[in-house]
Amino acid sequence: MSLAFSRYTIFCRDLAASLAFYRDTLGLVIVEEKTLSGPMAGGLLQLPACTMRIALLAADSDGPVIVGLFQISDTPLQQLQPPLGQPAHGQSALVLATDRFDALHAALVQGGYRFLTPPLAYPKPNASARTPAGLYREMIVYDPDNIPVSLMQIDPLPSSVAQPGADV
C-alpha cells in the first residue's frame, strides 16, 4: 500500500482573508484556482448544491501543493469554535518550515495576526533519523479561521551548545 501527502485542506469562511494570510503574508503562491458549482460541487462533502471556490497553494510555482483553500457558498455551513490560547484534543495544526523566520514574524505582527506561541528557540543537540540537530526556532500563529499554523526554522547550533556536556 502506498500513501503520500497531497495537501492540507482548509474550509475557509473568507477566501480573500485566507489568501491575505497564506499568499500575501506567508508567501505561498497560487498554482491553481477554480470554481465548482451545482450538485456535484457539494456531493463529495455530503452538501446540497453549492458553489466552491478553490485556491491551491505551493511554496513556489513548480512545487507540490501544500494548502488547499476551499470557500463554500450557497449553502449554510456550521461554524467551528476552536479553542484559543491552548490546543485541544482533535484540533489540527499546519506546520511549515521556513528560512525567513524573522521576516515572517515581522509580517505577521504587522498584519495584526494573533499568536498562540510567540517566537521561541530551543536546541536539539543530537540529530535523529528524521530530524537534524540544530537550534529550532518556532512560533504558532492563528490563521483567519483560527487554525494554528506553526512556522519553524532550524539554524545551526551555536558552538557552545554543540559541545558535548555544554550547558543549554
Side-chain angles (χ1 to χ4, degrees), residues 9-10 18 28 51 58-59 78 93 114 120 124 133 155-156 159 164 167:
T9 297
I10 300 168
S18 291
L28 296 178
T51 299
Q78 295 180 37
R114 272 189 339 272
L120 57 83
K124 182 177 188 262
D155 295 327
S159 58
D167 290 349

Side-chain angles (χ1 to χ4, degrees), residues 97-120:
T98 183
D99 60 1
R100 303 181 310 118
F101 190 85
D102 294 326
L104 285 177
H105 177 249
L108 291 162
V109 168
Q110 183 177 6
Y113 294 103
R114 272 189 339 272
F115 287 82
L116 169 63
T117 305
L120 57 83

Side-chain angles (χ1 to χ4, degrees), residues 45 68 86 158:
L45 300 173
Q86 64 182 22

Side-chain angles (χ1 to χ4, degrees), residues 81-140:
Q81 297 302 321
L84 300 177
Q86 64 182 22
H89 291 289
Q91 184 178 26
S92 65
L94 175 62
V95 179
L96 300 171
T98 183
D99 60 1
R100 303 181 310 118
F101 190 85
D102 294 326
L104 285 177
H105 177 249
L108 291 162
V109 168
Q110 183 177 6
Y113 294 103
R114 272 189 339 272
F115 287 82
L116 169 63
T117 305
L120 57 83
Y122 52 94
K124 182 177 188 262
N126 301 308
S128 64
R130 298 281 179 161
T131 58
L135 182 65
Y136 283 63
R137 297 198 298 154
E138 190 166 1
M139 61 185 148
I140 304 172

Side-chain angles (χ1 to χ4, degrees), residues 10-90:
I10 300 168
F11 298 102
C12 56
R13 288 178 269 239
D14 180 345
L15 185 60
S18 291
L19 286 172
F21 179 81
Y22 289 98
R23 180 192 59 202
D24 303 340
T25 304
L26 297 186
L28 296 178
V29 297
I30 296 173
V31 293
E32 185 175 344
E33 282 186 280
K34 57 188 166 189
T35 301
L36 307 174
S37 292
M40 68 89 176
L44 181 64
L45 300 173
Q46 303 302 304
L47 295 171
C50 65
T51 299
M52 194 178 316
R53 290 180 54 211
I54 301 168
L56 302 178
L57 297 106
D60 57 56
S61 60
D62 296 325
V65 172
I66 298 172
V67 174
L69 300 173
F70 287 58
Q71 180 180 322
I72 297 169
S73 57
D74 301 330
T75 191
L77 294 181
Q78 295 180 37
Q79 298 293 320
L80 288 178
Q81 297 302 321
L84 300 177
Q86 64 182 22
H89 291 289

